[in-house]
């Protein structure tokens, strides 16, 4: 599958990778260069492989499917949440927004919108509209983001609070566009200040992407591929569906129990309560001491004992070191603990604190 | 993607430059682009004999670990020590500053088994 921006990526010299069935740019100029540019200036990403699922219905009915509580969300705001199965295991994590009275926009992970559509369809009271193929999503991220966004949009349309979302009315664009419907939220997956734009019809995102490259040039904007998207999120220790959870993981194991609202009823709640005290391993952040880059699936040892497995590994362009998130057995996650990571190669590492890279530290 | 006229190539994307009885070895522009940013290189041992097809060096990029295979049989006489400090040179200059090793070849005939620029270009264009 291709996003509406595929030809533009090609024109910009992208190297492509297949991600969940989508031909997506992994990089344009270089992963580290793009990564550092998002930390220091600004970058624009095509994330149209993510889904767009509109759900209309009663907040209580919607909340039955998520760990969060939609009744507590004000119109124009959103939150991070998870969908669990009956056993309390994570099906998917996502951000959702309240975009109108009784109307919500869910942004499922790539390839998940179909299953979530079917999962939520079991409730008669909900009206679902899967618009994933009709919408494009652009992420614009980095400390200079406001200056660039204000070249394209009128200032008064920009959401001010984190997870705030606004409809962009016609006439608020400073450029010519074919957009018939668009939203902008203050959100992202890089740990930097940023916005995400949801654009209908999908093809209209091409001119928006071009406008950002052109008008953002003086702020140093660069197109950014999935390679840097992954290293940016890993430095902030954000979880990646498919890596940190692909079935069989509860929110406790990935340190996301903060996002459970226990005051409401949701699928998996009873099972989760029972599992709470019998969790044997949890995600911990590891930093490599010598040379080497941990990879997904590498084993983690303490002496001769296997104590865990790497769920996400990579190289941190900010720290110039290998870093990883790993499921580590209880009793071994103390900060400073030395471990050995064994995969295609072997390296020494230690348990550190989350995030790997703090705000402004790069 | 640059393919240099005067070099020989392998199907595993190494290049070989003939230099009076010796060869200089590196990886191609196509290879560096596909590996993405190279972060570490494990260089071969000087004075060690490597057979054709042996692992000569290991390249670790932000995306993967890959091996560089010896395109010929011979003794390593020099390695590019600059790569120890900045392996990214391979990305910025795969054919010049980013060379990996120099070898004394045992059997000149082995060079005849390598591809010329035109053949290599054909190989990578299949992939584009």
């Amino acid at each position: 599958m291709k996003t509406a921006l595929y030809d533009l990526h090609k024109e910009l010299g992208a190297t492509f990778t297949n991600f969940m069935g989508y031909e997506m740019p992994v990089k344009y100029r270089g992963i580290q260069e793009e990564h550092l540019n998002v930390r220091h200036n600004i970058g624009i990403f095509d994330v149209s492989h993510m889904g767009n699922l509109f759900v209309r219905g009663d907040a209580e009915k919607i909340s039955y499917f998520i760990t969060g509580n939609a009744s507590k969300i004000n119109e124009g705001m959103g939150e991070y949440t998870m969908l669990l199965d009956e056993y309390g295991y994570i099906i998917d994590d996502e951000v959702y927004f309240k975009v109108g009275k009784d109307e919500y926009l869910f942004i499922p992970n790539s390839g998940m919108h179909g299953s979530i559509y079917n999962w939520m369809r079991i409730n008669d009271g909900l009206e679902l509209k899967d618009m994933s193929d009709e919408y494009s999503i652009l992420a614009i991220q980095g400390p200079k983001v406001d200056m660039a966004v204000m070249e394209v949009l009128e200032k008064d349309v920009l959401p001010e609070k984190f997870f705030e979302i606004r409809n962009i009315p016609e006439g608020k664009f400073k450029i010519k566009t074919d957009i018939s419907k668009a939203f902008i939220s203050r959100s992202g997956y890089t740990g930097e200040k940023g916005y995400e734009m949801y654009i209908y019809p999908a093809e209209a995102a091409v001119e928006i992407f071009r406008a950002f490259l052109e008008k953002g040039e003086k702020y140093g904007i660069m197109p950014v591929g999935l390679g840097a998207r992954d290293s940016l999120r890993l430095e902030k220790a954000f979880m990646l569906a498919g890596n940190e959870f692909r079935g069989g993981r509860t929110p406790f194991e990935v340190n996301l129990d903060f996002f459970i609202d226990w005051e409401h009823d949701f699928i998996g709640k009873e099972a989760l309560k029972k599992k709470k005290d019998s969790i044997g391993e949890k995600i911990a952040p590891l930093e490599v001491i010598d040379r080497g880059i941990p990879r997904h699936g590498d084993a983690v040892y303490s002496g001769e004992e296997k104590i865990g497995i790497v769920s996400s590994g990579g190289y941190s362009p900010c720290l110039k070191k290998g870093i990883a998130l790993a499921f580590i057995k209880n009793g071994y996650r103390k900060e400073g603990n030395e471990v050995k990571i064994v995969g295609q190669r072997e390296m020494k590492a230690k348990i550190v604190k989350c995030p790997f890279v703090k705000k402004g530290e790069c | 993607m640059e393919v240099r006229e005067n070099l020989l190539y392998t199907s595993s994307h190494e290049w070989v430059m003939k230099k009076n009885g010796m060869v200089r070895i590196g990886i191609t522009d196509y290879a560096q682009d596909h590996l993405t940013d190279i972060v570490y290189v494990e260089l071969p041992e000087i004075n060690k004999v490597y057979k054709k097809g042996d692992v000569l060096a290991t390249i670790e990029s932000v995306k993967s670990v890959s091996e560089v295979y010896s395109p010929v049989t011979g003794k390593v006489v020099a390695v590019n020590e600059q790569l120890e400090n900045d392996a990214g040179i391979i990305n910025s200059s795969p054919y010049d500053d980013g060379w990996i090793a120099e070898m004394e070849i045992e059997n000149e005939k082995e060079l005849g088994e390598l591809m010329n620029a035109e053949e290599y270009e054909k190989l990578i264009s299949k992939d584009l």
Side-chain angles (χ1 to χ4, degrees):
Chain A
M1 282 176 287
K2 289 171 182 172
T3 73
L5 291 104
Y6 180 84
D7 289 340
L8 176 58
H9 299 318
K10 225 170 172 179
E11 184 189 315
L12 293 169
T15 304
F16 290 88
T17 185
N18 185 302
F19 185 75
M20 305 298 289
Y22 285 88
E23 284 298 308
M24 297 299 288
V26 63
K27 65 159 178 102
Y28 302 83
R29 284 159 67 166
I31 293 175
Q32 291 186 84
E33 190 182 350
E34 291 163 23
H35 178 114
L36 294 171
N37 201 58
V38 173
R39 290 271 181 259
H40 300 144
N41 300 307
I42 174 173
I44 181 163
F45 308 66
D46 173 19
V47 290
S48 308
H49 57 306
M50 310 277 288
N52 297 71
L53 190 59
F54 287 88
V55 184
R56 188 187 288 276
D58 180 54
E60 208 173 304
K61 280 186 177 161
I62 290 170
S63 303
Y64 181 61
F65 290 91
I66 57 179
T67 59
N69 192 340
S71 353
K72 293 181 181 173
I73 302 290
N74 292 325
E75 199 173 317
M77 290 300 296
E79 70 173 0
Y80 173 82
T81 198
M82 289 164 281
L83 282 87
L84 309 181
D85 64 16
E86 300 90 332
Y87 308 102
Y89 296 132
I90 304 169
I91 296 173
D92 198 27
D93 69 334
E94 48 226 72
V95 170
Y96 73 102
F97 301 96
K98 186 168 183 181
V99 293
K101 191 182 175 294
D102 292 332
E103 193 178 1
Y104 298 82
L105 169 59
F106 279 73
I107 312 295
N109 280 298
S110 187
M112 288 304 291
H113 57 96
S115 342
I116 290 169
Y117 178 90
N118 288 329
W119 183 238
M120 290 176 96
R121 207 173 49 177
I122 58 175
N123 192 310
D124 285 339
L126 298 178
E127 191 190 314
L128 299 167
K129 215 151 91 185
D130 186 354
M131 298 288 278
S132 302
D133 295 338
E134 285 76 31
Y135 268 78
S136 282
I137 309 179
L138 304 182
I140 309 112
Q141 308 270 306
K144 295 185 183 163
V145 69
D146 282 341
M147 292 184 274
V149 174
M150 283 189 284
E151 299 272 346
V152 178
L153 294 175
E154 295 294 343
K155 188 184 175 195
D156 61 1
V157 82
L158 295 191
E160 285 159 16
K161 284 180 266 179
F162 195 67
F163 280 145
E164 185 181 344
I165 191 165
R166 292 195 191 177
N167 179 40
I168 313 174
E170 229 187 304
K172 291 291 180 187
F173 287 94
K174 289 183 171 175
I175 55 162
K176 207 180 118 311
T177 110
D178 295 328
I179 288 178
S180 49
K181 180 100 185 144
F183 299 94
I184 182 167
S185 64
R186 228 188 104 188
S187 51
Y189 197 41
T190 61
E192 299 301 327
K193 185 173 189 187
Y195 300 95
E196 286 169 303
M197 287 177 75
Y198 314 87
I199 296 164
Y200 173 83
E203 295 70 33
V206 175
E207 61 204 355
I208 300 292
F209 201 100
R210 275 190 203 281
F212 270 107
L213 291 183
E214 190 189 311
K215 301 197 182 258
E217 200 184 347
K218 52 179 175 288
Y219 310 113
I221 200 166
M222 265 184 208
V224 185
L226 290 189
R229 182 170 158 86
D230 190 46
S231 53
L232 285 160
R233 69 95 195 167
L234 184 57
E235 282 187 343
K236 298 293 175 181
F238 295 152
M239 306 295 147
L240 172 63
N243 274 23
E244 274 65 48
F245 36 86
R246 183 184 283 146
R249 294 290 182 186
T250 65
F252 299 117
E253 292 160 281
V254 289
N255 304 318
L256 293 175
D257 40 315
F258 175 78
F259 298 96
I260 302 169
D261 176 286
W262 293 101
E263 288 172 16
H264 80 299
D265 272 330
F266 57 93
I267 299 172
K269 184 179 179 180
E270 292 315 309
L272 211 51
K273 273 189 193 162
K274 282 184 202 138
K275 288 195 167 82
K276 192 176 182 276
D277 297 316
S278 57
I279 299 295
E281 55 182 34
K282 279 188 181 185
I283 283 281
L286 296 174
E287 195 174 285
V288 175
I289 298 168
D290 42 16
R291 265 163 57 140
I293 305 175
R295 310 286 177 181
H296 176 80
D298 287 358
V300 183
Y301 286 86
S302 171
E304 294 302 304
E305 190 189 352
K306 189 178 169 194
I307 57 156
I309 185 161
V310 170
S311 52
S312 288
Y315 182 77
S316 159
C318 290
L319 303 174
K320 308 248 171 280
K321 275 180 204 168
I323 54 174
L325 294 173
F327 285 101
I328 304 280
K329 272 194 205 168
N330 295 349
Y332 294 92
R333 294 190 298 268
K334 221 177 114 200
E335 198 188 330
N337 261 7
E338 275 199 27
V339 299
K340 196 169 69 187
I341 299 176
V342 182
Q344 222 174 325
R345 29 181 61 236
E346 213 176 287
M347 64 205 93
K348 267 196 240 160
K350 63 174 189 220
I351 311 262
V352 291
K353 258 198 208 119
C354 280
F356 297 97
V357 175
K358 289 196 199 75
K359 191 119 201 149
E361 266 184 16
C362 179
Chain B
M1 229 57 71
E2 191 188 358
V3 176
R4 287 214 178 153
E5 211 42 62
N6 55 340
L7 303 178
L8 297 170
Y9 297 90
T10 67
S11 55
S12 46
H13 310 288
E14 290 89 9
W15 57 258
V16 176
M17 186 199 285
K18 278 194 279 182
K19 248 175 77 179
N20 38 27
M22 298 216 309
V23 291
R24 182 176 266 201
I25 294 158
I27 65 164
T28 65
D29 193 22
Y30 176 87
Q32 71 74 21
D33 187 62
H34 276 71
L35 290 174
T36 71
D37 297 21
I38 294 163
V39 184
Y40 304 119
V41 179
E42 214 166 89
L43 294 166
E45 282 173 50
I46 292 189
N47 288 327
K48 190 175 162 183
V49 174
Y50 290 83
K51 284 208 188 77
K52 181 180 173 169
D54 281 355
V55 174
L56 190 64
T58 308
I59 291 184
E60 188 147 20
S61 77
V62 296
K63 283 272 144 226
S64 62
V65 181
S66 329
E67 283 159 346
V68 178
Y69 300 101
S70 190
V72 289
T73 301
K75 186 168 87 176
V76 171
V77 291
V79 296
N80 185 358
E81 278 166 10
Q82 275 223 332
L83 300 178
E84 290 273 1
N85 301 321
D86 184 7
I89 298 172
I90 299 179
N91 291 115
S92 55
S93 180
Y95 296 117
D96 298 306
D97 299 341
W99 63 277
I100 293 169
E102 290 181 338
M103 292 172 98
E104 272 171 10
I105 39 175
E106 271 183 12
N107 183 357
E108 287 257 0
K109 271 190 193 154
E110 276 185 351
L111 293 174
E113 297 161 19
L114 300 172
M115 280 179 265
N116 63 26
E118 198 185 326
E119 289 164 328
Y120 182 67
E121 191 124 26
K122 216 178 263 173
L123 175 89
I124 61 172
S125 66
K126 272 189 211 153
D127 224 41
L128 295 174

